[in-house]
Amino acid sequence: MIDDVVAWVLLVAVAAYVCGGGTDYGAGFWDLLAGGADRGRRPRWLIDHAMAPVWEVNNVWLIFVFVLMWTGFPVFYQTVFSAMWLPLVLAAVGLVLRGAGFALRKPTRRVAGRRVYGAMFAVSSLLTPFFLGAAVGGVATGRVAPGTEASADAWHNPTSVIAGLLAVGASAFLGAVFLAGDARRFGAADLVGYFRLRALAALGALAVLALIGLRITRDDASYVHHGLTSGAGLVFVVLAVVCALATAGLLARGVTGWSRVTAVGAVALTVLAWGLAQRPYLVPTSLTVAEGAGADTTLRWLLLVTLVAVVLIGPALVVLYRLDARGDLQSLTDEDLQQQT
C-alpha cells in the first residue's frame, strides 16, 4: 500500500516538472525559431524577462523526481539509468548548457558571444526534452527490463522517437501559452498575437503527433496503448483533450489568463493518464511497483520528508509563482521592448 502512495507522489512530481520545466523548454524552443537578430529581438527580450524569476526553481521538480526514484524505487532507478544512460547523459548535458547559455547571454557585451550563448540555450531547450521523452518512451515499451544492458534499441525505437517529439511539442505549447500571457502583462500587444498563433500551431502539431503515437504504440507498446484507450487511463485522456480544446477556445478569444490553467491541465492530465496506463508496472510488463520499491521503513521516511518539504517549500513556491504571474518580480513595459528594436 505504501509503495503505491509513493508511486503516486512520484507521478505527480513528474507531472509538475513536465509542466514547470516544460514551459521553460518551450520558451527556449520559440527563442530558437524567433528568427535573425533584428526580427527575433523583441520575442527574445520578452523570453529573457519572463523566464528570469523562475527558470532555476522549476529544476527543483527534476531533483525531487530523481530523489524519489533513487530512494523509493532503487531497482527502477538502476534499471532505467543502466539501460538508458546515454540519452539521460545527453539530457543532463543539455540542462547544463541550457542554464549556462541563458545565464551568460544577457550580460555578455560582445555580439558574437551573445549569439553563441543564445544558440546554446535555444538548441539545448530542444534536445533536452526530446531525450527525456525518448527515455520515457523506452520505459513504456518495456525494453528496459531489470538486467537489460545499455543499447540504442532501448531509446532509439518508434515509441521513444514519438515520445521525444511529444515532449518537445508539449513544451512548445506550454511555452507559447505562458509567453502570450507574459506579453499581455508587460503591455506588448503585438507579441500577444505572436505567441497566441504559435500556441495554437503547437497544439495542432501535438494533436497530429498524438494520433501518430496511438498508431505506433498499438504494436510497439501494447500494454500502455491498452491502458490509454480503456478504463481510467482513457478517462484522463478525454479530460486532457477537453482541457486542450478549452485552451484553444480561450486563446482564440484572446483570454491568456485562464488558458494557462487549461494548458497545464491538458499536459498534467496526459502525464497522469500515462501513469495510470502503466499500472501496476513501473516497467511494463517486467517490474511492478511492489517489486521495484525499497523497504517499507525507507518509504515511510520518504513520505515524511516529502510532507515536510511540502509544508516548508510548497508555500514559498506558490508565492513565487503568484508574484511572477502578477508581474511583481520583473518590471518590463512595451517601452522597454521598443528599445530593443
Side-chain angles (χ1 to χ4, degrees):
M1 179 64 179
I2 190 171
D3 50 0
D4 288 328
V5 175
V6 177
W8 273 106
V9 173
L10 175 60
L11 183 60
V12 171
V14 171
Y17 179 67
V18 169
C19 294
T23 301
D24 286 347
Y25 293 134
F29 177 88
W30 296 118
D31 186 288
L32 181 65
L33 299 184
D38 293 331
R39 193 178 110 191
R41 187 166 297 169
R42 279 171 59 79
R44 290 190 178 104
W45 192 249
L46 175 65
I47 288 168
D48 280 345
H49 280 74
M51 283 185 58
V54 296
W55 72 277
E56 292 179 289
V57 176
N58 287 325
N59 287 322
V60 171
W61 294 112
L62 181 61
I63 297 170
F64 186 44
V65 168
F66 284 156
V67 169
L68 285 172
M69 284 181 62
W70 179 27
T71 309
F73 303 97
V75 177
F76 180 50
Y77 185 91
Q78 180 184 16
T79 299
V80 172
F81 277 80
S82 296
M84 293 190 292
W85 65 268
L86 182 56
L88 292 173
V89 165
L90 292 174
V93 170
L95 277 170
V96 173
L97 293 179
R98 179 177 177 276
F102 182 74
L104 295 174
R105 76 170 178 174
K106 190 174 181 179
T108 301
R109 295 184 177 276
R110 296 181 60 185
V111 175
R114 294 184 67 178
R115 287 177 176 171
V116 170
Y117 290 129
M120 186 188 303
F121 161 69
V123 174
S124 297
S125 296
L126 174 67
L127 295 180
T128 300
F130 176 82
F131 286 120
L132 290 175
V136 171
V139 171
T141 64
R143 286 180 168 88
V144 293
T148 302
E149 295 183 359
S151 67
D153 183 60
W155 60 279
H156 190 263
N157 56 75
T159 299
S160 288
V161 172
I162 197 67
L165 293 176
L166 282 168
V168 173
S171 298
F173 169 59
L174 286 172
V177 170
F178 273 74
L179 285 169
D182 289 326
R184 172 155 290 166
R185 172 161 52 94
F186 291 137
D190 60 315
L191 292 179
V192 175
Y194 177 93
F195 283 112
R196 278 174 54 206
L197 289 176
R198 280 152 180 76
L200 291 170
L203 184 57
L206 269 177
V208 173
L209 288 171
L211 292 174
I212 296 173
L214 282 175
R215 177 63 183 86
I216 289 174
T217 55
R218 187 175 66 181
D219 299 321
D220 198 47
S222 57
Y223 189 90
V224 171
H225 176 87
H226 177 74
L228 289 172
T229 55
S230 62
L234 178 59
V235 172
F236 275 72
V237 169
V238 171
L239 291 174
V241 171
V242 170
C243 284
L245 293 174
T247 304
L250 290 169
L251 288 173
R253 294 170 53 196
V255 181
T256 57
W258 280 104
S259 63
R260 290 183 169 191
V261 177
T262 54
V264 168
V267 175
L269 286 167
T270 302
V271 175
L272 295 177
W274 161 66
L276 285 169
Q278 287 199 177
R279 62 178 185 170
Y281 293 101
L282 292 169
V283 180
T285 52
S286 59
L287 183 66
T288 65
V289 171
E291 292 169 346
D296 285 351
T297 302
T298 301
L299 296 177
R300 291 191 186 95
W301 277 105
L302 185 59
L303 284 178
L304 178 61
V305 171
T306 299
L307 180 61
V308 172
V310 169
V311 172
L312 295 181
I313 302 175
L317 288 176
V318 171
V319 170
L320 175 65
Y321 287 138
R322 182 166 179 78
L323 289 176
D324 179 56
R326 290 167 49 186
D328 294 338
L329 301 179
Q330 280 280 21
S331 57
L332 177 66
T333 65
D334 193 44
E335 183 180 353
D336 298 320
L337 291 171
Q338 293 290 352
Q339 294 176 0
Q340 302 305 308
T341 60

